[in-house]
Amino acid sequence: MKMKLQYHNLYQPQRAGALAALLVLLFPILLPCLFSPLTHAYPSVFSSNMEQSDSWNPLANQGWKPCAESSVVPTLPEKSTGFLQVFLDGGLNQQRMGICDAVALAKILNATLVIPYLEVNPVWKDTSSFMDIFDVDHFVNTLKDDINIVKELPFEYSWSTREYYATAIRGTRIKTAPIHASANWYLENVLPVIESYGIAAIAPFSHRLAFDNLPMDIQRLRCKVNFQALVFVPHVRALGDALISRLRYPSGQSTNYLKEITDANDKQQAGKFVVLHLRFDKDMAAHSACDFGGGKAEKLALAKYRQVIWQGRVLNSQFTDEELRNQGRCPLTPEEIGLLLAALGFDNTTRLYLASHKVYGGEARISTLRQLFPLMEDKKSLASSEERAQIKGKASLLAAVDYYVGMHSDIFISASPGNMHNAMVGHRTYMNLKTIRPNMGLLGQLFLNKSLSWSEFQQSVIAGHKNRQGQIRLRKPKQSIYTYPAPDCMCHA
C-alpha cells in the first residue's frame, strides 16, 4: 500500500487544524515506518540510531576561519568630534545588528558613542536596556582601542533624551537617514550636526548603514562587535549553561549550575541536541497574510491585529494562499516543521530545544510536534520558576537565552527566515557549526502536492536540503554582513 499525504486540502478554512489531525492519525503508522530499528522499506534513509545518522555529523573544514580582527592596528582619534546617539527599534537581533552598525559609524565619524538606546518594541513591550542584556564592561573593554564609548552623556548634554526628541522637531535629531545609507551620506549630513552641536542623535537607526563600499577595517570592526564584543550578561549565560547541561546530560539535573555541569561531565558522555526556532507567533502569522486553516474568524482576527500593530502599512496580500506557499512566503507551522525534521531523519529519540517566545495557538498548536518529538524541551521544562525569575516577561532576555543555547547546539534550524534566523545563520557560519536552512519554496510546493507518498516527500526534502546545512556562502552585494560573514569577517584557512 502506497500511503499518500494529501497536503492540498490542509489549508482550506473549513479544514481548521486538519494537518494536526492528520498527523495524529498518521502517528501510529508513521512511527514504525520512520523510527523502527527493523525498518526495511527505506533502509538507506531511516536509521534507528541517530548517533550514526549523517544528520548529526559536524560540518567538515570548509577552508575558512574566523578573522574579525583588522590587519590595521586600531587607533583612537586624537580628538573626538562629539557624541553620537542611536535609538534602535525592533527585537533583540535587529538591535544587535544596529549596535554593530553604530560602532562602525562612530569610527567613520571619529565620534564618541553613547551606549545605544533600545526602543520599547510595540509587540513584545520589553523595556530592557543595553546593560540589562549585554555585558557593558566587556563591550567597552573589547572596543577600547577602536572607538571612545561612554555609558551616559555628561551633564551638559543630559537634555538629549528620547522624551526630548518626542515632543518637537530638534536640530540635533537625524530622522532622515536612508535605509543602508553610505558612509559619505553620514559624513555629509551627520558630521556637520555633531560639529555644530557637539552631539547628534539618529532615530530611527536600524538598517541605516550600507553593507557595501566600506573600508575593510570598518567591515572587520562590525565583525569584531558582533562576534567578540557583544556578550550577554552573566545571569543569562549562567542560565544558558544550565539549560545546555540539562540537554546534554538529562539524568543529572540539579539547581546548582556549576555542580550540575561538573557532575555531569564526570559521569556520562554528552548527548546531542537540536535547537528549533519555531518563529510561529501572532506577529509573524499576521504579517505573512497566509491562511493557517482557522477559517473566517482567524482571518478577521489577524486582519484586526494587522491594523492595530501596523496601522494599514501591512495589507492583506493580493496573492492567493497557494501562490504564497509556492513562493515560500508562508512561515512553517509546527506540524510542517515536524514533517521536515522527520524527513531529514530525526526520530523520537531526538532531544529538541524549542526556542520561541509565544507560539500562535498556544500549546494546542504544538501538541502534535511534541507527540512526534516527545523529548522536546524549552526554558520552562528545563528550569524552575526561581531560575527563570530574572528573565520572566522580558522578551529580549528570553531571546538572549535562546540565542546562547542555539550557539551551543549541535544543529540549529529555524522554521522561517527572520532576524533570529539571520543572526544565528551568520554566527554559526562564522564558527563553522551546522545550521539547517529550510527550503521554503520547495516545502511550500511539496505541502500542496495532491498525491505525494511519504517516500517521495522525504527524498525530495533530503535532496532539497543537501547544501543548506551551514555551507559557506560568500556575501553578495547588498547582502547582510551579519548573515553572510565570508569574506568580510573570515579568512582562508
Side-chain angles (χ1 to χ4, degrees), residues 76-95:
L76 290 173
E78 292 184 8
K79 182 180 180 181
S80 171
T81 56
F83 294 99
L84 174 67
Q85 278 182 298
V86 295
F87 298 85
L88 303 175
D89 53 9
L92 172 70
N93 294 291
Q94 183 174 321
Q95 291 171 338

Side-chain angles (χ1 to χ4, degrees), residues 220-234:
R220 287 282 170 84
L221 180 56
R222 292 166 112 174
C223 307
K224 183 177 181 179
V225 181
N226 195 31
F227 302 126
Q228 296 179 19
L230 287 177
V231 172
F232 295 124
V233 290

Side-chain angles (χ1 to χ4, degrees), residues 8-215:
H8 62 298
N9 288 324
L10 299 180
Y11 304 108
Q12 296 177 10
Q14 65 268 29
R15 296 292 299 277
L19 183 51
L22 176 63
L23 278 172
V24 170
L25 291 173
L26 288 176
F27 187 73
I29 302 171
L30 283 178
L31 190 62
C33 180
L34 289 173
F35 307 137
S36 170
L38 301 177
T39 184
H40 59 275
Y42 309 107
S44 63
V45 177
F46 298 116
S47 169
S48 63
N49 186 353
M50 288 300 291
E51 294 299 323
Q52 298 175 0
S53 170
D54 289 343
S55 300
W56 289 112
N57 290 344
L59 286 174
N61 188 312
Q62 300 184 68
W64 292 83
K65 64 179 181 179
C67 195
E69 292 288 349
S70 173
S71 57
V72 178
V73 178
T75 55
L76 290 173
E78 292 184 8
K79 182 180 180 181
S80 171
T81 56
F83 294 99
L84 174 67
Q85 278 182 298
V86 295
F87 298 85
L88 303 175
D89 53 9
L92 172 70
N93 294 291
Q94 183 174 321
Q95 291 171 338
R96 181 188 185 101
M97 297 170 195
I99 293 166
C100 299
D101 287 348
V103 171
L105 182 56
K107 184 71 174 180
I108 292 169
L109 300 176
N110 283 335
T112 297
L113 178 68
V114 184
I115 290 296
Y117 178 90
L118 308 185
E119 302 270 24
V120 178
N121 187 287
V123 176
W124 306 121
K125 297 179 173 58
D126 188 354
T127 59
S128 298
S129 69
F130 182 105
M131 297 183 192
D132 292 328
I133 302 168
F134 300 104
D135 186 329
V136 68
D137 291 329
H138 176 85
F139 179 78
V140 172
N141 187 60
T142 302
L143 300 171
K144 68 181 187 305
D145 296 326
D146 297 285
I147 64 167
N148 290 310
I149 304 175
V150 294
K151 296 179 182 179
E152 58 184 28
L153 285 166
F155 178 77
E156 60 266 35
Y157 292 104
S158 60
W159 48 264
S160 186
T161 65
R162 193 68 184 92
E163 292 71 26
Y164 172 76
Y165 294 112
T167 56
I169 296 174
R170 310 291 186 180
T172 52
R173 178 185 175 184
I174 311 299
K175 193 178 179 180
T176 57
I179 298 292
H180 298 154
S182 68
N184 284 338
W185 188 93
Y186 286 102
L187 290 168
E188 294 169 4
N189 294 277
V190 178
L191 184 57
V193 175
I194 296 179
E195 291 174 336
S196 296
Y197 295 94
I199 188 171
I202 309 177
F205 183 69
S206 297
H207 306 300
R208 290 311 197 273
L209 182 62
F211 291 117
D212 303 314
N213 302 317
L214 290 174

Side-chain angles (χ1 to χ4, degrees), residues 330-349:
C330 294
L332 296 180
T333 66
E335 299 91 346
E336 290 169 340
I337 200 72
L339 287 173
L340 170 62
L341 289 168
L344 289 172
F346 295 99
D347 65 12
N348 63 346
T349 67

Side-chain angles (χ1 to χ4, degrees), residues 100-101 210-211 216 218-223 226-227 426 475-476 478-489:
C100 299
D101 287 348
F211 291 117
M216 181 53 70
I218 296 297
Q219 296 289 65
R220 287 282 170 84
L221 180 56
R222 292 166 112 174
C223 307
N226 195 31
F227 302 126
R475 189 178 72 84
K476 298 176 182 178
K478 297 185 179 180
Q479 287 184 330
S480 170
I481 192 174
Y482 309 118
T483 307
Y484 304 94
D488 303 84
C489 306

